[in-house]
């Protein structure tokens, strides 16, 4: 298969034939690991079939570059916000959801969190016997076999609308022997929600790799490329062995009660209503933002970022805002002086805060711009730089 043919075929995945071969074995280790890692959770079935036709590293590079370009919400810009969010979710899953030596992003809970994002509500229960649990219908038997903990994640209306549902609930049951959580397959919400989320992520119908999207497959910033050298997330200890006639007593599971978040500054969002959203409601305030990519010169550019410390002690955040772009043949590069702010606490996300502001656009010419927000992060002993492209009409 020629390279040009591969590009077209990979982009129109439905034309690919299922090839029962171990062709991927010829690929170098980083590309084999990419396909076997968390990227598989967001692949369509056609993409999975297409990958089986990939036989060389160069074909893998083309596949991966096109894979991300098709999901880039701001095509043509330096940043791919979808890919960035994917890596944030993978890193958070690895940090919070590891199970007995298995990467958190490769567990059932990790898969759900990566595909659907943070649940708006989480609840966990300690161990119980299957005969007791059967009254609620979750385990489907009354044998008296003892079971582990039960965790339930829920996406409310605002969050579930992203994948076309009024609400979604996913339940996990813990194996008392291994300590691992398995998704309750009798609950079908995840099947519908994940199919919709994966499909809706593809926003560009590219048939070939745009020049701006050629990144060499595995971007140097891609944590997957550093996986082999990275330390494995500390596994959660398995619960104590069950007693013959007693309900299992397990430690409360932390993750569902502490929403799925990454520490530091993330989720830079441009919107007109950043100050109309109340972070003290029970839902994620970012789902209520009217996201915008285009503004008028008579408007103000509103922006918001999530800042998580994992602590309820209100942080004093230092940040800098910068605008760059080209308009009327002129190169624009304007930066404000560093500012300090005590951000608003987000009730729905424990230990997280909403950093927000606005920039008057009056007098600025029509053109393409980029907002850059640099947030000082004492925990990382450095700065976090967030970027978002926008246009002034």
């Amino acid at each position: 298969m020629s390279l040009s043919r591969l590009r077209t075929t990979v982009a129109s995945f439905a034309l690919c034939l299922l090839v029962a071969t171990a062709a991927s074995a010829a690929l170098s280790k980083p590309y084999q690991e990419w396909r076997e890692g968390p990227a598989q959770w967001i692949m369509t079935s056609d993409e999975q079939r297409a990958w089986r036709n990939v036989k060389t590293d160069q074909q893998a590079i083309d596949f991966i570059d096109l894979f991300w370009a098709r999901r880039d919400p701001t095509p043509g810009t330096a940043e791919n916000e979808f890919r960035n969010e994917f890596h944030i979710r993978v890193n958070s899953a690895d940090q919070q959801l590891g199970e007995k030596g298995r990467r958190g992003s490769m567990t059932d809970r990790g898969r759900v969190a990566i595909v659907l994002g943070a649940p708006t509500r989480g609840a966990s229960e300690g161990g119980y016997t299957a005969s007791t649990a059967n009254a609620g219908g979750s385990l489907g038997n009354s044998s008296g076999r003892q079971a582990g903990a039960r965790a339930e994640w829920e996406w409310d209306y605002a969050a579930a609308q992203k994948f076309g549902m009024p609400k979604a609930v996913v339940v996990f049951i813990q194996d008392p022997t291994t300590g691992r959580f398995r998704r309750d397959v009798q609950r079908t919400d995840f099947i519908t929600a994940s199919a919709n989320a994966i499909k809706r992520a593809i926003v560009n119908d590219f048939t070939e790799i745009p020049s701006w999207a050629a990144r060499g497959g595995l971007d140097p910033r891609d944590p997957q490329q550093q996986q082999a050298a990275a330390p494995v997330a500390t596994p959660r200890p398995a619960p104590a062995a069950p007693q013959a006639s007693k309900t299992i007593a397990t430690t409360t599971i932390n993750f569902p009660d502490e929403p799925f978040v990454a520490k530091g500054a993330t989720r830079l969002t441009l919107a007109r209503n950043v100050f109309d959203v109340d972070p003290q409601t029970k839902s994620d305030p970012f789902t209520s933002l009217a996201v915008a990519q285009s503004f008028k010169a008579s408007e103000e550019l509103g922006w918001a970022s999530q800042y998580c410390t994992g602590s309820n002690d209100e942080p004093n955040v230092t940040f800098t805002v910068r605008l760059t772009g080209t308009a009327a043949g002129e190169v624009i590069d304007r930066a404000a002086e560093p500012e300090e702010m005590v951000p608003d606490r987000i009730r729905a996300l424990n230990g997280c805060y909403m950093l927000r502001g606005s920039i008057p656009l009056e007098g600025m010419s029509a053109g393409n711009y980029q907002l850059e927000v640099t947030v000082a992060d004492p925990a990382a002993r450095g700065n976090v730089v967030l970027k978002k492209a926008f246009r002034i009409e």
Side-chain angles (χ1 to χ4, degrees):
M1 179 182 292
S2 67
L3 179 57
S4 60
R5 175 61 177 163
L6 173 68
R7 286 175 173 170
T8 301
T9 303
V10 170
S12 60
F13 297 111
L15 299 180
C16 294
L17 299 175
L18 175 61
V19 180
T21 176
S24 61
L27 300 176
S28 60
K29 186 176 180 180
Y31 296 106
Q32 293 182 48
E33 290 179 341
W34 183 83
R35 170 59 183 86
E36 296 168 0
Q40 65 183 282
W41 303 144
I42 60 172
M43 279 189 179
T44 66
S45 56
D46 290 329
E47 287 172 324
Q48 293 174 5
R49 286 192 291 270
W51 181 265
R52 295 188 178 97
N53 283 332
V54 173
K55 299 177 174 64
T56 68
D57 282 2
Q58 184 57 56
Q59 291 176 348
I61 289 171
D62 293 333
F63 181 102
I64 295 171
D65 282 347
L66 190 56
F67 177 87
W68 293 121
R70 284 161 57 86
R71 292 162 169 82
D72 191 344
T74 55
T77 63
E79 294 294 317
N80 184 330
E81 293 80 5
F82 179 90
R83 179 173 177 155
N84 292 345
E85 176 67 17
F86 171 79
H87 290 321
I88 289 171
R89 294 181 183 183
V90 169
N91 289 338
S92 295
D94 284 342
Q95 293 169 13
Q96 301 180 49
L97 302 176
E99 295 177 355
K100 238 180 147 48
R102 177 179 294 186
R103 289 181 64 190
S105 56
M106 298 308 296
T107 63
D108 277 13
R109 292 184 300 168
R111 176 184 180 181
V112 172
I114 289 168
V115 176
L116 302 186
T120 50
R121 186 187 68 83
S124 61
E125 300 174 2
Y128 45 78
T129 61
S131 58
T132 301
N134 191 52
S138 60
L139 294 180
N141 69 71
S142 56
S143 63
R145 178 178 59 83
Q146 293 177 317
R150 178 182 185 276
E152 179 176 301
W153 295 356
E154 177 184 313
W155 288 258
D156 63 14
Y157 180 82
Q161 281 296 290
K162 294 180 181 179
F163 27 87
M165 298 177 68
K167 186 176 77 170
V169 176
V170 180
V171 173
F172 304 93
I173 304 297
Q174 186 184 40
D175 185 310
T177 303
T178 65
R180 291 181 177 176
F181 283 84
R182 300 294 186 186
R183 180 172 58 84
D184 184 351
V185 296
Q186 296 184 40
R187 306 290 292 263
T188 61
D189 281 9
F190 178 68
I191 302 300
T192 302
S194 62
N196 291 339
I198 291 169
K199 180 179 180 180
R200 291 185 176 194
I202 300 176
V203 293
N204 303 307
D205 189 22
F206 295 133
T207 58
E208 292 191 0
I209 306 167
S211 59
W212 53 265
R215 300 292 183 86
L218 295 179
D219 190 297
R221 295 172 299 173
D222 188 342
Q224 184 73 24
Q225 197 167 20
Q226 307 299 328
Q227 178 182 337
V232 177
T234 303
R236 295 177 183 273
Q243 301 296 319
S245 60
K246 296 181 179 180
T247 297
I248 302 170
T250 60
T251 303
T252 301
I253 302 168
N254 292 325
F255 173 75
D257 297 320
E258 298 175 3
F260 183 75
V261 294
K263 291 185 179 180
T266 59
R267 303 177 74 181
L268 178 61
T269 305
L270 305 185
R272 293 180 173 84
N273 65 329
V274 292
F275 292 108
D276 296 334
V277 174
D278 183 6
Q280 290 301 304
T281 63
K282 294 182 179 180
S283 61
D284 181 352
F286 282 84
T287 63
S288 300
L289 290 176
V291 178
Q293 296 180 7
S294 178
F295 296 82
K296 297 179 181 179
S298 58
E299 297 179 317
E300 290 192 348
L301 172 71
W303 62 270
S305 172
Q306 179 175 292
Y307 185 79
C308 299
T309 64
S311 168
N312 289 323
D313 296 331
E314 291 186 343
N316 192 5
V317 182
T318 302
F319 66 94
T320 304
V321 176
R322 179 185 180 191
L323 281 181
T324 58
T326 303
E330 179 185 1
V331 176
I332 308 297
D333 190 345
R334 301 176 182 174
E337 292 295 323
E339 295 184 44
E340 290 188 358
M341 177 189 295
V342 177
D344 299 307
R345 186 189 304 276
I346 299 177
R347 180 181 177 185
L349 302 176
N350 187 39
C352 292
Y353 304 83
M354 193 174 193
L355 186 68
R356 48 187 169 175
S358 64
I359 303 171
L361 300 178
E362 185 177 359
M364 296 190 67
S365 302
N368 296 316
Y369 295 86
Q370 179 172 262
L371 172 68
E372 179 179 300
V373 179
T374 301
V375 181
D377 189 348
R381 297 183 180 179
N383 296 329
V384 175
V385 181
L386 305 174
K387 300 179 181 180
K388 186 73 69 172
F390 70 96
R391 178 171 177 79
I392 298 179
E393 301 294 346

